[in-house]
Amino acid sequence: MADASAIKEHMEVIGADGVHVGTVDRVEGDRIKLTKKDSGAQIEGAEGAHGGHHHFISLGLVADVEGDKVRLSANGDVAVTFEEEENAG
């Protein structure tokens, strides 16, 4: 796992395949909270039920932090299946 302190707000999160997964809102505990506006927007099927919600990605999926990008160890479409939505209410 990469150093979580290197992950900063507005960094791009990309899958191992280079697919845009989202944009960092902040790190909360052992996971990355993605911005609501951009959360999963480029992943096929992520809009609809998943669009417009905050999503989280486990820090355990972070392979590296390179410049302004957070690279995951899983492909973008697989990483989305590991996201946990924030419960409403």
Side-chain angles (χ1 to χ4, degrees), residues 7-86:
I7 300 171
K8 306 294 181 201
E9 186 178 1
H10 303 300
M11 291 180 116
E12 181 182 13
V13 179
I14 56 174
D17 53 356
V19 172
H20 176 84
V21 174
T23 303
V24 175
D25 185 10
R26 64 179 168 264
V27 175
E28 289 187 355
D30 63 349
R31 56 193 190 162
I32 298 170
K33 182 177 186 178
L34 301 179
T35 61
K36 188 184 296 186
K37 175 184 126 189
D38 186 43
S39 190
Q42 299 299 316
I43 305 299
E44 186 174 333
E47 277 302 321
H50 293 288
H53 301 289
H54 283 289
H55 290 88
F56 296 87
I57 297 178
S58 169
L59 287 173
L61 290 176
V62 176
D64 197 14
V65 179
E66 309 167 347
D68 63 347
K69 295 185 189 320
V70 177
R71 184 173 299 276
L72 303 177
S73 59
N75 286 347
D77 59 342
V78 176
V80 169
T81 66
F82 291 113
E83 291 181 347
E84 301 173 39
E85 289 189 37
E86 188 173 58

